[in-house]
Amino acid sequence: MIDKPPGCTSHDVVARCRRIFAQKRVGHAGTLDPDATGVLVVGLGQATRLLQFLSGLAKRYTGEVVLGVTTTTLDSAGDVTGTWDMHGVTVDEARAAAATLTGQISQVPPMVSALKVGGRRLHELARAGIEVERAPRSVTVTRFDVGLAGLAGAGAAGLAGAGAASGQGPVLAIDVECSPGTYIRTLAADLGTALGGGAHLRNLRRLAVGNFTVAEAVTLETLEAVGEPGKLLISPADALARAGLGRAVADRELAGAVAHGKVLPVASVHAAGATGSGPWAVVTEDGVLLAVYQSHGKDQAKPAAVLAPQ
């Protein structure tokens, strides 16, 4: 896990990891905006094939919503497109508005996102000055906490004066837990609209991807400084366990079948200790990941990814 710094893309992080670990195949599970910081789960070598099983994990973010100012990018990197006097907004009003943006909601992806439309990423089109129609997407916001940035226990006190010296308007601190695919900058903009004006996002930080937390993440500088960066890696089997995959412990016979990518009866996977409907991580008795299997047809399991022996 990398604690991504501001000012670089997720692709930049991947490129640096290639150099640090001398790996050609490197990928990540979930893009972070260039100005955002925090957890970026990176996979190396064969483990890049396992990132698909981490893409559905819930996310947690913190950030700040600047009320009264909208921008072209919905965050502080964009040009100002509108201003409102929102200094009379209270924290209680902001929390009530946030409640309307909690649960299953519909979002229009921003033009600066990495989503592809017609084979091109939206942010590439935006840089070319092209705006296209984007279909709303359903996402789930399980928690949307709002407070006054920098002032604990403000309660229902007015936000007048917060950030006023900079001319940006009141600033709210937010803490969000959400489904993958949720755009926090869009959530910030929608919060501003719900409060009768506009808003943009700044200082976005991803605290967690599922059970992968920023407290355990390491910086790129740390990886470059240590003599053996490989010692800081999480094993593929442990990563899948954190992602909630069931685990089957294979004996010699089952391990042989798995190594050859054979379709198996689900009963044999369950007999090896796995539960549920999959996908399942199949490991050796020593805990080394052999493959990931998933349900296939009636009462069968097929390999979704088989790892070559190390």
Side-chain angles (χ1 to χ4, degrees):
M1 285 178 289
I2 303 298
D3 186 350
K4 190 188 90 63
C8 69
T9 67
S10 299
H11 181 74
D12 292 335
V13 173
V14 165
R16 286 180 67 175
C17 286
R18 284 196 184 100
R19 295 194 297 270
I20 293 169
F21 292 99
Q23 289 274 353
K24 290 184 178 179
R25 294 177 62 191
V26 180
H28 65 79
T31 301
L32 269 177
D33 295 332
D35 288 340
T37 66
V39 177
L40 187 68
V41 180
V42 174
L44 308 176
Q46 294 187 89
T48 58
R49 302 172 62 193
L50 307 177
L51 294 174
Q52 60 183 301
F53 304 107
L54 310 183
S55 61
L57 299 178
K59 311 292 195 300
R60 181 185 174 192
Y61 297 90
T62 58
E64 294 179 339
V65 177
V66 181
L67 297 180
V69 181
T70 55
T71 72
T72 52
T73 58
L74 311 186
D75 66 5
S76 57
D79 297 326
V80 173
T81 57
T83 60
W84 292 259
D85 180 1
M86 298 179 68
H87 288 95
V89 174
T90 68
V91 173
D92 281 353
E93 288 171 340
R95 287 171 178 160
T100 68
L101 297 168
T102 304
Q104 187 171 349
I105 64 173
S106 181
Q107 280 191 333
V108 176
M111 279 300 302
V112 289
S113 70
L115 186 69
K116 284 187 176 181
V117 173
R120 295 186 64 185
R121 297 197 183 277
L122 287 176
H123 63 75
E124 294 174 347
L125 295 171
R127 283 198 297 269
I130 302 170
E131 183 165 352
V132 297
E133 290 290 327
R134 290 96 66 200
R137 303 172 68 183
S138 179
V139 299
T140 301
V141 178
T142 55
R143 184 163 66 90
F144 190 179
D145 291 345
V146 176
L148 182 57
L151 293 176
L159 303 180
S166 65
Q168 292 178 309
V171 180
L172 299 170
I174 62 170
D175 191 331
V176 178
E177 292 180 2
C178 56
S179 65
T182 303
Y183 294 99
I184 308 303
R185 68 176 71 207
T186 300
L187 201 61
D190 289 345
L191 180 62
T193 300
L195 288 168
H200 70 270
L201 178 70
R202 73 180 188 190
N203 296 332
L204 181 65
R205 183 161 176 77
R206 187 153 66 194
L207 299 186
V209 175
N211 292 319
F212 300 90
T213 67
V214 74
E216 303 168 275
V218 298
T219 65
L220 292 167
E221 288 73 21
T222 296
L223 287 177
E224 290 170 336
V226 298
E228 297 181 65
K231 290 185 176 181
L232 299 176
L233 297 177
I234 299 171
S235 74
D238 288 345
L240 293 181
R242 289 191 185 204
L245 269 68
R247 177 177 292 204
V249 180
D251 58 19
R252 181 172 296 181
E253 181 180 355
L254 181 59
V258 168
H260 287 88
K262 292 185 176 180
V263 174
L264 304 171
V266 168
S268 67
V269 179
H270 285 168
T275 59
S277 58
W280 306 279
V282 183
V283 302
T284 67
E285 293 175 345
D286 295 330
V288 177
L289 183 68
L290 295 171
V292 176
Y293 270 68
Q294 60 188 15
S295 295
H296 173 62
K298 184 178 180 180
D299 301 324
Q300 288 188 315
K302 69 175 182 178
V306 177
L307 277 65
Q310 300 294 306

